[in-house]
Amino acid sequence: MTFGFAPSAAMSAGTDSANRLSRMLEPAEWAAAGIPLLRSPREVVSGLHARHRPTPATAVVAVLDHEERLAASASFARRSVTADGWEFRNSLLAHLRRVIPHDLRRRTPVRTAVLLYCREGDERWTEEDGAWMWGLRDACTLHGLRCGAYITLTSGGWQVLGEGRGGRRPSSLSQPSSLAETALDLDQVPSRRGGGAAQALHRSAAR
């Protein structure tokens, strides 16, 4: 017979907490990761806000091409109770797989994924943000994409974390603008290609 001791609940909780902390990125780590800057962050944020109308605890993941035109996007509500980068990575990856083919056969990524997360609180970094950053970076690696900006949307406005760029509108409290205000009419945009990040927001995107 073999005798032993089962790990206590406190030990298991401590291990789980340590694992979760390892699956998040601090602002300094994110800033040092060489995340590409958005040329027109306000246009991207306004367009995604108009299309997906996010409310708190809603994530919007978008894939941009090399000219910062929208290729695909998807929005979904956060399901995980705890802020765990592994859970967030799996959610992001599942939605990316539904809306756009992977680029794993390419030697270097040509498309970039950005994440807009609508949440309560202010613009300051939280552990939840760190978990989303970790999840976005890992999901991009597994889908053959460049890891792009992480943007929070709160009652005070929007903020590109790690860059210090932001604005008061849109916010989690503001009414979404119509797509007509952030892009050209559909008949003015080619079905597969268009000029400018905001114009391309007319293209089909999963919600």
Side-chain angles (χ1 to χ4, degrees):
M1 296 180 64
T2 302
F3 297 91
F5 297 94
S8 68
M11 290 177 61
S12 297
T15 301
D16 180 63
S17 178
N19 288 337
R20 285 192 293 106
L21 288 173
S22 70
R23 294 191 291 264
M24 67 175 58
L25 295 176
E26 298 279 348
E29 296 176 291
W30 184 256
I35 305 300
L37 301 178
L38 288 170
R39 292 197 302 267
S40 304
R42 186 183 300 277
E43 289 186 10
V44 173
V45 173
S46 296
L48 294 177
H49 185 252
R51 177 172 293 281
H52 292 278
R53 301 171 180 262
T55 55
T58 300
V60 181
V61 60
V63 179
L64 308 177
D65 69 11
H66 66 287
E67 294 182 359
E68 210 168 276
R69 296 176 301 193
L70 183 70
S73 65
S75 62
F76 57 96
R78 171 183 166 175
R79 302 297 184 190
S80 176
V81 176
T82 57
D84 191 325
W86 186 80
E87 294 284 351
F88 293 168
R89 185 276 308 274
N90 290 344
S91 295
L92 290 167
L93 192 58
H95 284 85
L96 286 170
R97 286 170 172 167
R98 291 190 184 108
V99 299
I100 199 164
H102 68 75
D103 279 344
L104 293 172
R105 293 184 182 89
R106 295 183 179 272
R107 290 186 178 181
T108 57
V110 295
R111 295 184 290 195
T112 302
V114 300
L115 178 61
L116 171 71
Y117 184 58
C118 182
R119 62 166 173 78
E120 303 287 356
D122 57 30
E123 73 279 1
R124 288 175 293 183
W125 180 89
T126 67
E127 289 189 354
E128 181 183 27
D129 294 325
W132 278 115
M133 290 171 167
W134 189 96
L136 176 63
R137 186 185 66 175
D138 217 42
C140 288
T141 299
L142 295 173
H143 206 63
L145 301 169
R146 284 201 307 171
C147 180
Y150 173 70
I151 307 160
T152 58
L153 188 71
T154 65
S155 59
W158 58 273
Q159 180 83 11
V160 185
L161 266 70
E163 294 184 21
R165 292 192 292 174
R168 293 184 178 181
R169 294 185 62 86
S171 72
S172 60
L173 302 178
S174 62
Q175 288 296 317
S177 303
S178 66
L179 284 175
E181 296 177 27
T182 58
L184 295 177
D185 293 335
L186 277 171
D187 58 0
Q188 295 178 272
V189 181
S191 59
R192 295 191 62 82
R193 299 182 65 86
Q199 296 172 12
L201 288 168
H202 271 306
R203 286 202 289 275
S204 173
R207 296 199 62 170

